[in-house]
Amino acid sequence: MRFISFRLQTAIFIAPALALFLLFFAVPSAAMLAEAFSDAGAAWRVLSDPIFWNSVIGSIFIGLAAPLLSLVVGTAVAITISRMPPRRSGWVLFAVSLPLTFSGLIVAYGFILLLGRAGFVTQILAIFGADPATVGSFIFSAPGLAVAYSYYLIPRVVLIVLPALRTFDAGQLAAARSLGAKPGEVLRHILLPQLAPSLATAFGLTAAVAIGAYGTALALTGTSLNILPLFLYSKISETGTDLPAAAVTSIVLMALCIAAICLAEIAHVFLTRRSRG
Amino acid sequence: MPAISLLYVLFLLAPPALLLLGSFGQSWSNTLLPQGFTTQWYSQVFSDPSFRRAFAASLTVVGATCALNLMIGLPLAYALYHSSRRWLGAAGKVLTLLPMAVPELVLAFGFILTFSSDSLPWLGSTWLLIAAHTVITLPYTVNTVLAGMKQVGLARYEQAAASLGSAPMQRFMHIALPLVSASVTSTMLMVAALSLGEFQLSNLISGFLNRTYPVVLLQAFYGATGFACAATVILLGLALIASAGARITAAVAGRT
Amino acid sequence: MSIQFEDVSYSYPGGGAGVSQIDLSIGDGELVALIGASGSGKTTLLKLLAGFCTPDKGRIRVNGKPMASLPPEDRALGIVFQNYALFPHMTVRDNVAYPLRLRRVPRARRAKMADDVLDRVGLAGFGTRLPAALSGGQQQRVALARALVFSPGALLLDEPLSALDANIRLQMRGEIRRAQQAAGISALHVTHDQEEAFSIADRVAVMRAGRIVQIGTPQDLYDRPVDRELAAFVGQANLWDGRVAAAGRIATGFGELSCDTAGFAEGASVTVCVRPERILPDPEAGMPNTFRAAPTATEFLGPIRRITMQAGPTSLMIETHRRTTGDAFAIPPEAIRLLAS
């Protein structure tokens, strides 16, 4: 053992991960691509299905609404945490990031209890005259799903934005005030432009997660909601299904996720260049 | 800001709080909060054969996933830590972004296509489930352990050890492992929490006999509210315990 | 053009040391330096003036206008911050033009005004750079330009030179002083560096535990410190315990000194304060207050030498430009200042 060279050791250290990645990531991905191209008619069958297009629209909506909501709340929470003394902020950050480890099912059932047809908030609103049937159906709709998703997307936003806030020189805020900026102007002119690169990253990441996830949606709505992952899920889980069509759908789903990440990366680079030269 | 943050705290706490209340309520239909107090739902979950089997399956998968992460992820993180900077940045980026680009659902579909063939008939086996959990948790392990290595500044201690005559593998065993052990422990607890809650892959690739806890939990949502709450709270509680353990070990790691 | 604090008190909500009963008046075009150790309340005073804290009690006026109800952005005070607080995402010109933008000055005009001010601080041609591309001294000048471009009612300087190298610091001192005088506005300069305060200020206020313990010209403070601690804080000082033996006579560890004892009763304990450069080593015969002593150490500091002498139980420090050392020293009576102990 003593005389293994460093180079050999590095190779030994990387090999198992590489093998795992090849067999359980690259091969299945390749199989999926191969399946899509095995049947020339598969793409047409998918693209001519109106439910597919409704699902794409639903997924784009979720991929915009959930990140936007998460970004607004997450940034506000991150700013609050960044102003706390370090000891307290550590524990608050721990509490805020707890949902990251929660199963999507926990979130789904929790929200059924909170906002479902007989949910806690639904019943409270019913006391003030709101129709329980209307309020109770919200969580099973696309906007409702965006709210449920934000439960575990907000922590991601906080974890991305907080480091940027911590390196931000708070003296700038005082300086801007002394030069005549009102609190809103300080936010618009000074803080947000400098946070913009990390906000772009957070948006792309949360969008990709929101577009790709299906667990919470499945638990909330079965496969009745028109979003791409549920469309794909119903294709996969049915017996005797059209596998090439499912593979084409997978590619579209991946393309949406990749587009979200790439757009965010481009925005990140552009905004970084603009904010730092 | 403080107003939004305060509302957020309510938003954060409300679902787990209602789950907890519901799990101890005798009945909960068309009332604001559940009626009566009972622990029967928990005893029902504990005596339910499919939940017992799922719990055992989950423990096996979580344990093996952690072990594999340790055996594969830790050496990879160490190799990346010592590789050239350009390499490191690229590998880190790929590790972070690839899982985002390929959703679990798509990966599960790839698994179904690959491992239900006659040449690789592994679909439904426990060890395929373990491999799948390892693949999706490994990026987290590598990134976190790598960050831990950077934070303790492993390189200078290893350089000191090398000057004293320590060979590469000895430096890994004598210097690197002890220095990162606390942050690795913390990472493994987080991996345990992630693996325990994993639903999207397991739901499609587990066999009938090794369905994990979350997969069985979904069925419970169509039954009695109290039972569903109790079954969910157990999962929630285990995730909380693992996260808290991770946080505490991370705090210990930060102090040394 | 003036700044007035009238009986101002403030304590931090968390119980941190604030300031109490501050009376301070800074005249037209005057620069007052505020010195004190960290935690003495000098930065708090600046924050109160800038509007980042609101006094519990008392009034603050700038150019006769009460500040109490105004938020920071409406006070129109030019502040140079400790780390400059330049906005990293804006060019140098945009940084300087930012207060003008907030005041709705048309774009072309504010660019012109910003360039004019940059020209005046010697940064013509740097307008399109980002702050990160500038040296510390250049950043300092941008901060100064930004604080002055909108013709503020007063200038506030919060440890503006502490982040700079020693030689640039000397140069910037002069530039700040010139810019302030050209603008003709009152200025409050907070620093912990006594030498900096003395070189730049018309008057210096010394703070301790939230109060101003002495305020006066630099020479006042040096020659007539009000207490022992202040004498030690401002420059070097020999400080000995003594007792008024009789009118005009002080008993010390190495003998009796003759000096003016007005204001002290016979038998009172006092601290004798003598600046090291006022003691004469190797005195001529017949000078008053001459004592024999043995030199124990000599430090060569270029223009002067610092000699340590031992007289009986007392060790004393002498600074002289003479190149010879004898075995005696003399203290001119007018060099002796008595402080209550």
Side-chain angles (χ1 to χ4, degrees):
Chain A
M1 207 144 128
R2 216 200 120 101
F3 300 106
I4 290 179
S5 77
F6 191 73
R7 192 175 281 260
L8 179 62
Q9 181 187 305
T10 303
I12 294 172
F13 277 14
I14 291 178
L18 207 59
L20 183 90
F21 173 78
L22 279 177
L23 189 55
F24 299 106
F25 192 89
V27 169
S29 302
M32 195 266 299
L33 290 178
E35 187 71 33
F37 293 108
S38 68
D39 177 354
W44 174 248
R45 287 199 299 282
V46 172
L47 297 181
S48 60
D49 184 347
I51 302 177
F52 166 79
W53 288 108
N54 281 339
S55 302
V56 170
I57 291 166
S59 277
I60 290 176
F61 172 79
I62 288 286
L64 291 174
L68 213 60
L69 177 64
S70 308
L71 225 52
V72 171
V73 179
T75 306
V77 172
I79 290 174
T80 309
I81 292 178
S82 73
R83 288 176 181 165
M84 291 176 177
R87 187 171 279 264
R88 195 186 335 154
S89 74
W91 284 104
V92 172
L93 191 60
F94 164 69
V96 166
S97 52
L98 274 179
L100 285 177
T101 58
F102 289 175
S103 179
L105 301 186
I106 297 176
V107 178
Y109 206 70
F111 273 98
I112 290 176
L113 295 181
L114 189 66
L115 293 168
R117 298 212 161 79
F120 186 74
V121 169
T122 313
Q123 296 199 32
I124 287 181
L125 290 178
I127 297 171
F128 297 104
D131 177 17
T134 318
V135 177
S137 62
F138 170 74
I139 194 64
F140 306 107
S141 68
L145 190 61
V147 170
Y149 277 2
S150 71
Y151 192 81
Y152 50 79
L153 295 181
I154 289 168
R156 285 173 207 263
V157 174
V158 173
L159 289 183
I160 293 170
V161 175
L162 194 57
L165 275 170
R166 290 209 162 128
T167 56
F168 176 83
D169 171 19
Q172 291 180 55
L173 303 179
R177 291 292 295 277
S178 79
L179 296 171
K182 302 207 169 3
E185 288 172 321
V186 174
L187 199 68
R188 277 206 322 281
H189 299 159
I190 310 300
L191 185 59
L192 286 182
Q194 292 180 61
L195 283 187
S198 23
L199 291 177
T201 301
F203 192 95
L205 215 102
T206 50
V209 173
I211 292 169
Y214 81 95
T216 307
L218 181 70
L220 276 173
T221 71
T223 54
S224 64
L225 194 68
N226 278 334
I227 56 171
L228 206 50
L230 287 183
F231 178 77
L232 175 60
Y233 177 79
S234 55
K235 275 200 180 314
I236 297 172
S237 55
E238 281 164 18
T239 44
T241 188
D242 183 354
L243 289 180
V248 170
T249 312
S250 297
I251 291 173
V252 175
L253 184 58
M254 272 173 60
L256 281 180
C257 293
I258 292 170
I261 293 168
C262 288
L263 284 177
E265 277 291 304
I266 291 167
H268 177 96
V269 170
F270 173 75
L271 291 166
T272 307
R273 196 168 299 156
R274 214 179 58 168
S275 71
R276 301 226 171 77
Chain B
M1 303 298 158
I4 297 182
S5 300
L6 205 65
L7 279 174
Y8 176 66
V9 171
L10 285 179
F11 177 74
L12 188 68
L13 291 179
L18 289 174
L19 285 167
L20 194 65
L21 281 173
S23 71
F24 287 109
Q26 230 147 24
S27 69
W28 192 359
S29 55
N30 292 319
T31 51
L32 202 55
L33 291 172
Q35 308 291 306
F37 177 86
T38 177
T39 54
Q40 60 153 331
W41 303 116
Y42 285 98
S43 38
Q44 271 190 36
V45 174
F46 287 130
S47 58
D48 185 303
S50 70
F51 268 98
R52 291 174 76 102
R53 201 184 311 122
F55 195 73
S58 269
L59 285 188
T60 311
V61 172
V62 167
T65 298
C66 286
L68 276 180
N69 263 283
L70 206 58
M71 291 188 301
I72 297 173
L74 181 57
L76 178 60
Y78 184 77
L80 287 177
Y81 178 73
H82 282 294
S83 60
S84 65
R85 283 182 171 277
R86 203 146 46 97
W87 229 99
L88 191 88
K93 202 101 197 152
V94 167
L95 270 172
T96 322
L97 294 183
L98 254 191
M100 294 286 156
V102 184
E104 271 101 333
L105 175 62
V106 173
L107 189 62
F109 181 49
F111 268 63
I112 291 173
L113 291 173
T114 309
F115 301 112
S116 58
S117 59
D118 291 333
S119 48
L120 299 169
W122 300 335
L123 197 67
S125 68
T126 302
W127 76 265
L128 187 68
L129 204 51
I130 292 165
H133 278 224
T134 307
V135 165
I136 59 170
T137 49
L138 203 66
Y140 175 80
T141 303
V142 174
N143 281 328
T144 322
V145 172
L146 200 53
M149 287 173 174
K150 283 179 191 158
Q151 203 199 339
V152 296
L154 209 52
R156 63 200 159 108
Y157 299 113
E158 290 200 314
Q159 280 158 8
S163 77
L164 299 171
S166 176
M169 191 54 100
Q170 291 174 317
R171 298 203 291 271
F172 177 69
M173 301 298 285
H174 301 162
I175 311 297
L177 280 189
L179 277 174
V180 298
S181 63
S183 81
V184 167
T185 310
S186 159
T187 309
M188 285 310 117
L189 284 164
M190 283 303 280
V191 166
L194 292 172
S195 168
L196 186 70
E198 206 294 319
F199 166 78
Q200 306 193 106
L201 255 176
S202 315
N203 184 41
L204 284 163
I205 66 165
S206 60
F208 184 73
L209 290 177
N210 57 19
R211 288 189 301 171
T212 56
Y213 194 92
V215 178
V216 174
L217 177 65
L218 180 62
Q219 309 307 316
F221 288 177
Y222 304 106
T225 304
F227 185 82
C229 283
T232 310
V233 166
I234 291 170
L235 189 59
L236 183 71
L238 289 173
L240 274 178
I241 290 168
S243 303
R247 161 73 199 169
I248 289 163
T249 41
V252 171
R255 221 171 292 145
T256 49
Chain C
M1 293 290 178
S2 62
I3 300 171
Q4 270 132 15
F5 288 86
E6 284 170 32
D7 192 26
V8 170
S9 293
Y10 176 79
S11 56
Y12 282 97
V19 296
S20 50
Q21 294 167 1
I22 300 295
D23 281 297
L24 175 63
S25 180
I26 303 177
D28 221 10
E30 189 187 24
L31 193 156
V32 168
L34 204 54
I35 55 174
S38 63
S40 60
K42 57 189 194 303
T43 301
T44 307
L45 209 56
L46 185 114
K47 281 186 184 167
L48 287 165
L49 180 53
F52 298 120
C53 305
T54 312
D56 301 332
K57 186 168 156 276
R59 273 184 303 276
I60 302 174
R61 270 198 274 260
V62 175
N63 305 328
K65 192 172 159 196
M67 292 280 122
S69 57
L70 291 179
E73 62 267 28
D74 294 337
R75 296 196 177 196
L77 301 172
I79 306 180
V80 177
F81 290 84
Q82 189 167 9
N83 305 311
Y84 320 136
L86 298 179
F87 308 127
H89 62 302
M90 294 184 190
T91 62
V92 165
R93 180 187 291 128
D94 287 346
N95 260 284
V96 176
Y98 185 63
L100 303 174
R101 176 181 160 194
L102 293 166
R103 287 164 177 76
R104 311 276 182 259
V105 175
R107 187 181 295 269
R109 184 164 154 65
R110 68 186 188 232
K112 168 94 174 60
M113 287 171 76
D115 285 346
D116 285 349
V117 180
L118 283 171
D119 195 15
R120 249 182 284 148
V121 296
L123 285 177
F126 284 81
T128 54
R129 302 215 192 163
L130 286 170
L134 302 185
S135 71
Q138 289 168 333
Q139 291 186 18
Q140 164 76 77
R141 285 176 209 182
V142 176
L144 189 62
R146 187 177 69 177
L148 290 173
V149 71
F150 60 104
S151 309
L155 183 64
L156 277 56
L157 302 145
D158 184 10
E159 308 250 8
L161 303 173
S162 62
L164 295 176
D165 291 340
N167 51 342
I168 302 174
R169 204 180 301 172
L170 292 182
Q171 191 189 342
M172 282 312 299
R173 260 186 213 169
E175 292 200 18
I176 288 177
R177 183 61 169 147
R178 270 194 299 282
Q180 179 254 343
Q181 281 173 336
I185 51 180
S186 323
L188 181 67
H189 179 130
V190 168
T191 177
H192 65 273
D193 182 338
Q194 172 253 317
E195 194 200 322
E196 178 184 312
F198 274 40
S199 70
I200 199 171
D202 298 309
R203 283 188 300 152
V204 175
V206 184
M207 287 198 75
R208 191 189 303 151
R211 287 166 191 272
I212 294 179
V213 285
Q214 188 170 8
I215 177 161
T217 63
Q219 197 177 333
D220 271 348
L221 258 67
Y222 190 77
D223 290 345
R224 282 181 290 280
V226 291
D227 61 23
R228 187 177 181 136
E229 211 177 312
L230 208 89
F233 181 66
V234 177
Q236 305 280 351
N238 288 294
L239 296 163
W240 305 307
D241 292 325
R243 193 175 45 77
V244 182
R249 301 293 290 169
I250 301 286
T252 71
F254 54 89
E256 271 194 15
L257 293 170
S258 60
C259 65
D260 182 8
T261 56
F264 292 94
E266 203 174 305
S269 290
V270 294
T271 296
V272 181
C273 169
V274 183
R275 298 290 180 186
E277 71 278 8
R278 301 295 299 274
I279 306 179
L280 305 170
D282 199 10
E284 289 153 34
M287 291 187 80
N289 295 336
T290 297
F291 298 92
R292 299 197 69 76
T296 53
T298 306
E299 279 175 75
F300 180 72
L301 302 175
I304 58 156
R305 291 184 309 147
R306 183 176 294 151
I307 305 160
T308 311
M309 280 192 166
Q310 195 70 31
T314 307
S315 170
L316 50 103
M317 190 203 298
I318 303 170
E319 286 176 359
T320 179
H321 59 273
R322 290 197 205 167
R323 299 286 162 148
T324 54
T325 312
D327 55 359
F329 64 88
I331 306 174
E334 67 276 14
I336 297 171
R337 175 155 176 85
L338 300 183
L339 306 168
S341 28

